[in-house]
Amino acid sequence: MGAYRDTYHRSLTDSEWFWRAAAAGVDWTRMPMRILDADRPPFFRWFPDAELNTCHNALDRHVHAGRGETTALVYDSPVTGTVRRYTFRELRDEVAVFAGALRRLGVGRGDRVVIYMAMVPEAVVAMLACARLGAVHSVVFGGFGPKELAARIDDARPKVVVATSCGIEASRIVRYKPLLDAALDEAEHRPGRCVILQREQAPGELRDRDVTWADAVAGAMAAQCVPVAATDPLYVLYTSGTTGRPKGIVRDNGGHAVALTWSMANIFDCGAGDVFWAASDVGWVVGHSYIVYAPLLAGATTVLYEGKPVGTPDAGAFWRVVRDHGVNVLFAAPTAIRAIRKEDPDGARIDRARTKSLRALFMAGERLDPQTYEWAAQRLGVPVVDNWWQTETGWPIAASPRGLEAMPIKPGSPSVPVPGFDVRVVLPDGSDAPAGTEGSIVIRLPLPPGCLPTLWGDDERFVGSYLSAFPGSYLTGDGGRFDEDGYLFVMGRTDDVINVAGHRLSTGAMEEVLASHHAVAECVVIGVEDELKGQVPRGFVVLKAGLEHQEAAPGTVAAELVQLVRERIGAVASLRSVQVVAALPKTRSGKILRRTMRGIADGREEPVPSTIEDPAVLDALRQVLRPS
């Protein structure tokens, strides 16, 4: 680990030198002379005296460098039968005109714009147009209902809302406009105008405050980039599943541009001329960072996919996109690959697609189990790189930095801490845990550029939520361990550690055992209340395609899984209940609804996120989840 070790050590011992060098990859209207402002801990600010414009760095500078005719964005929408490509010049021009339209509606530097849109190019245009003006965008995932949208509007207090009239899925049309109207009826804040992108599949009924996208841009003058302070906010992204006042993650302009530019080259080994596809949604942090900003900052081509690329009826959609657009680096969630493996266990569709362009598959969003890693690595024949990060950090905390040094892969681990992140595993007293010992994963302050400097309008909540448990450190909320080689193993949220008769056990470790069984496609282990032992684990598994229809398979597999956990973890695990189910309840971003499942199993109802992918799956599980 020569190159990595030296770089990582330098990033921690001389962070100002390290980030000054990284800042050279960004165009500044005023270069940073001061790298870190540490005068008011724990509120650290990067590049406090610098100015730049993020949109200029994502678009204009590539046009000025003679790459204006290079493809910047590929829009692939099987649900509408559309494929459209935009060069850097074309995308720059559309962004500039829409920025002019927003300016004509009164939007200026520091104003907020809420974006509630489907996965269409105009969503990218709207985000970049806000950045061009120095305005602050807040993208709300299209799956959120009126209540969640209203809460975000009240907190962000936008001058304008930009929305699509509808979203389109494989089997239905989701009408966004009525949801927006209901949210605005409920919200206390009233934005001045709403810009509605009318889609022919379901145009929306306009109200007095509404203007269509077409009318908004008609006659609008192209806007130039507005320089902003590096510490000015670029966007606010509200974390999903919040109750009460939503938690707005703030991302600044300067640190964000520097960190994401560095990450593309050094983590993803991707740059100008490459094609990058993050199979996510612009409403999530992955979509912000690695659909919109990072690829364009690096001068790469980014793919925007509208639709669900996995599951029925076509488990080969992933590989079709890779083939058709020459994708070099693919970023996806493990749940997507598990769904593909379930429908196509032999990888026949991969072979037919001939994914020769693909150099690496990066996976994040949840723990990558070793079996999914092995399947993807064998079938694709490319490195499969786990990486771990959070909405709050905005870019990977731990990964195998392929552009810096291609390191050996250890299944079950997202590899090593990324330069800039002083990652520790600590015991309850705050001391560092020995190698092999599980504890809480924390990051020593200051957090590197690109991470949240605070929460929107709530410094006190920022400190209370993240910085109070272990003073001087950011609490990730995840537990794990380091091994003797310095590889980090993330075992899941600390609230997924259960206490069985005084023994603290990781449900992630049990899931790892269940997932190793040849018949298991997906699994989850939750802790439920028990009068005798305090808590006991219950396992739920989805079998691979074909096996669920064999009459004897479910009972046989369940018995084998109970025995497997007993052999590998021990009787102390007390896992005596494993049930085979047709599917696991998930959000549309692929996260299993563990908390909701725990609540039902314990006889109470936890709020079900409006982003649930298929409510019928949870309804079916209630019959086996409820206490007897």
Side-chain angles (χ1 to χ4, degrees):
M1 294 195 290
Y4 162 76
R5 183 179 59 246
D6 293 345
T7 303
Y8 184 71
H9 178 74
R10 188 73 181 266
S11 76
L12 301 187
T13 59
D14 194 354
S15 61
E16 295 201 24
W17 175 91
F18 180 85
W19 290 113
R20 187 185 301 276
V26 170
D27 277 4
W28 304 87
T29 53
R30 185 168 68 224
M31 290 289 294
M33 296 295 105
R34 190 180 184 191
I35 303 304
L36 176 65
D37 176 2
D39 292 345
R40 198 168 67 94
F43 300 99
F44 299 93
R45 307 306 301 267
W46 292 95
F47 316 113
D49 58 355
E51 279 190 349
L52 78 165
N53 182 276
T54 297
C55 181
H56 166 84
N57 277 277
L59 299 176
D60 299 66
R61 70 166 171 163
H62 303 306
V63 176
H64 298 162
R67 302 188 64 248
E69 308 315 310
T70 302
T71 300
L73 174 69
V74 176
Y75 168 56
D76 189 308
S77 174
V79 294
T80 62
T82 304
V83 174
R84 200 153 68 228
R85 291 175 172 81
Y86 298 77
T87 66
F88 278 99
R89 188 184 309 279
E90 290 168 338
L91 189 56
R92 189 272 314 265
D93 291 348
E94 290 211 17
V95 167
V97 170
F98 191 65
L102 289 177
R103 185 174 58 191
R104 194 164 60 176
L105 294 174
V107 176
R109 177 176 172 176
D111 291 328
R112 275 80 64 204
V113 175
V114 163
I115 299 172
Y116 184 60
M117 302 186 78
M119 286 286 284
V120 292
E122 288 83 358
V124 178
V125 169
M127 293 168 72
L128 290 167
C130 291
R132 194 172 191 86
L133 294 175
V136 181
H137 65 69
S138 184
V139 180
V140 179
F141 174 63
F144 279 120
K147 183 176 181 179
E148 292 87 353
L149 179 56
R152 285 149 176 77
I153 289 172
D154 279 340
D155 198 64
R157 303 187 67 81
K159 183 164 284 187
V160 169
V161 173
V162 184
T164 45
S165 62
C166 69
I168 304 168
E169 299 179 359
S171 59
R172 64 177 183 142
I173 292 175
V174 181
R175 296 176 183 272
Y176 286 6
K177 185 57 169 60
L179 299 176
L180 172 61
D181 291 340
L184 292 174
D185 289 342
E186 182 175 338
E188 295 180 5
H189 174 76
R190 294 288 184 268
R193 301 301 293 270
C194 294
V195 179
I196 308 300
L197 176 68
Q198 296 280 34
R199 306 189 75 185
E200 62 181 19
Q201 292 82 4
E205 183 177 342
L206 301 183
R207 292 184 172 185
D208 291 343
R209 71 170 69 89
D210 299 331
V211 59
T212 67
W213 181 290
D215 288 341
V217 299
M221 299 291 292
Q224 298 303 309
C225 294
V226 176
V228 298
T231 54
D232 281 351
L234 170 68
Y235 68 77
V236 177
L237 179 59
Y238 292 96
T239 54
S240 60
T242 54
T243 56
R245 183 184 177 189
K247 188 188 294 182
I249 305 302
V250 175
R251 197 80 65 212
D252 64 11
N253 275 271
H256 173 261
V258 171
L260 291 195
T261 299
W262 189 92
S263 76
M264 284 296 287
N266 292 278
I267 298 176
F268 298 100
D269 192 23
C270 189
D274 290 326
V275 180
F276 191 95
W277 179 29
S280 183
D281 189 286
V282 293
W284 307 121
V285 70
V286 171
H288 280 59
S289 293
Y290 293 105
I291 294 177
V292 180
Y293 286 110
L296 297 178
L297 288 167
T301 299
T302 186
V303 176
L304 181 78
Y305 184 93
E306 184 183 22
K308 185 180 177 183
V310 296
T312 55
D314 182 11
F318 252 89
W319 321 125
R320 191 273 302 168
V321 174
V322 170
R323 178 198 63 206
D324 288 358
H325 306 306
V327 173
N328 303 120
V329 180
L330 171 61
F331 190 123
T335 188
I337 303 303
R338 284 194 289 269
I340 292 172
R341 183 180 67 165
K342 181 180 187 298
E343 298 299 324
D344 185 24
D346 297 326
R349 292 178 176 88
I350 297 175
D351 297 334
R352 289 199 293 271
R354 292 180 299 199
T355 55
K356 293 185 293 185
S357 63
L358 194 64
R359 298 198 303 260
L361 168 63
F362 283 80
M363 304 185 74
E366 58 180 319
R367 186 171 174 273
L368 173 59
D369 59 278
Q371 291 66 40
T372 300
Y373 161 78
E374 296 286 356
W375 184 89
Q378 291 174 6
R379 296 299 186 274
L380 290 170
V382 301
V384 175
V385 185
D386 193 4
N387 63 115
W388 168 67
W389 47 298
Q390 301 177 322
T391 300
E392 289 84 351
T393 66
W395 61 293
I397 302 169
S400 177
R402 292 191 52 76
L404 188 61
E405 178 181 359
M407 302 169 66
I409 299 294
K410 289 190 178 185
S413 168
S415 298
V416 293
V418 166
F421 288 94
D422 188 357
V423 180
R424 309 289 181 91
V425 175
V426 298
L427 301 174
D429 64 1
S431 62
D432 288 343
T437 301
E438 287 192 21
S440 297
I441 303 175
V442 302
I443 304 169
R444 297 286 192 228
L445 299 179
L447 295 174
C451 297
L452 80 167
T454 189
L455 294 175
W456 180 254
D458 205 338
D459 289 350
E460 184 177 345
R461 189 178 183 188
F462 170 61
V463 174
S465 297
Y466 301 106
L467 308 180
S468 297
F470 297 97
S473 296
Y474 164 87
L475 180 68
T476 68
D478 283 297
R481 68 180 187 275
F482 278 111
D483 72 4
E484 64 280 358
D485 296 323
Y487 278 62
L488 181 67
F489 287 76
V490 182
M491 302 310 296
R493 303 297 293 176
T494 51
D495 58 7
D496 285 333
V497 174
I498 62 175
N499 193 315
V500 180
H503 299 282
R504 287 174 57 80
L505 299 171
S506 167
T507 56
M510 295 182 222
E511 289 176 7
E512 184 173 334
V513 175
L514 298 185
S516 69
H517 193 283
H518 68 89
V520 173
E522 287 190 289
C523 65
V524 64
V525 175
I526 60 172
V528 300
E529 295 175 3
D530 182 81
E531 289 185 4
L532 180 62
K533 296 187 177 183
Q535 287 181 298
V536 293
R538 289 181 66 182
F540 300 86
V541 300
V542 178
L543 302 185
K544 292 178 182 175
L547 293 178
E548 68 270 29
H549 302 301
Q550 298 178 16
E551 188 172 337
T556 302
V557 171
E560 290 175 355
L561 290 170
V562 169
Q563 182 60 29
L564 198 60
V565 171
R566 186 181 184 89
E567 291 172 357
R568 297 192 186 176
I569 295 180
V572 68
S574 295
L575 180 66
R576 296 190 176 92
S577 172
V578 175
Q579 291 171 280
V580 176
V581 296
L584 296 173
K586 301 174 188 174
T587 66
R588 295 188 185 196
S589 63
K591 295 186 185 301
I592 296 172
L593 298 176
R594 289 175 168 83
R595 179 176 175 179
T596 303
M597 292 177 68
R598 284 197 302 266
I600 296 171
D602 287 338
R604 63 183 189 277
E605 285 288 336
E606 294 285 348
V608 178
S610 62
T611 53
I612 186 170
E613 183 178 46
D614 185 355
V617 172
L618 188 58
D619 291 339
L621 271 176
R622 290 180 195 276
Q623 304 306 314
V624 295
L625 280 168
R626 291 190 188 281
S628 57

